[in-house]
Amino acid sequence: MEPGENFRECAKRELKEETGFEVDIREELMEFSKEFAGVERVFRAEITGGEKKSSWEGEPVFLEMKEAKKARWRWDRDIKELLSEADPE
């Protein structure tokens, strides 16, 4: 986060910087604290503009929920429960 930003503003800016997409941040889905690493929040967002681009962190990739589960996407970051709630199958 940058000085003066709230979590939603930070998420919106970071998404634009790292993916090229402009988004409307919807509801907060989860929050958890990480020892020695601060707080992580997960939001639902809708793409409203921009174009997909790469950043130094890599190429953005869209995954269907089933593919994300199969790939165990972000399993190490407490996302398993969130994926199950989003797509119970």
Side-chain angles (χ1 to χ4, degrees):
M1 289 179 71
E2 293 183 353
E5 272 185 328
N6 64 41
F7 282 101
R8 289 174 184 268
E9 293 166 338
C10 177
K12 191 171 186 169
R13 177 185 52 76
E14 287 288 337
L15 275 162
K16 176 70 174 173
E17 289 174 4
E18 295 176 15
T19 68
F21 292 117
E22 297 169 6
V23 296
D24 180 18
I25 301 294
R26 303 295 180 151
E27 76 270 16
E28 183 174 321
L29 299 174
M30 67 187 309
E31 174 187 322
F32 48 96
S33 298
K34 297 166 62 178
E35 190 173 357
F36 306 113
V39 173
E40 183 167 326
R41 292 185 177 189
V42 178
F43 295 95
R44 183 180 313 274
E46 180 180 334
I47 296 172
T48 59
E51 293 185 25
K52 182 174 143 179
K53 70 172 184 116
S54 298
S55 74
W56 66 271
E57 294 184 318
E59 178 78 21
V61 176
F62 290 98
L63 294 175
E64 295 292 329
M65 284 294 180
K66 289 179 183 175
E67 290 179 41
K69 285 180 175 182
K70 184 177 177 182
R72 299 175 64 87
W73 181 78
R74 289 181 52 122
W75 236 244
D76 62 326
R77 299 184 75 181
D78 301 325
I79 207 78
K80 182 178 181 180
E81 181 180 329
L82 180 62
L83 286 172
S84 294
E85 288 175 12
D87 182 27
E89 292 182 24

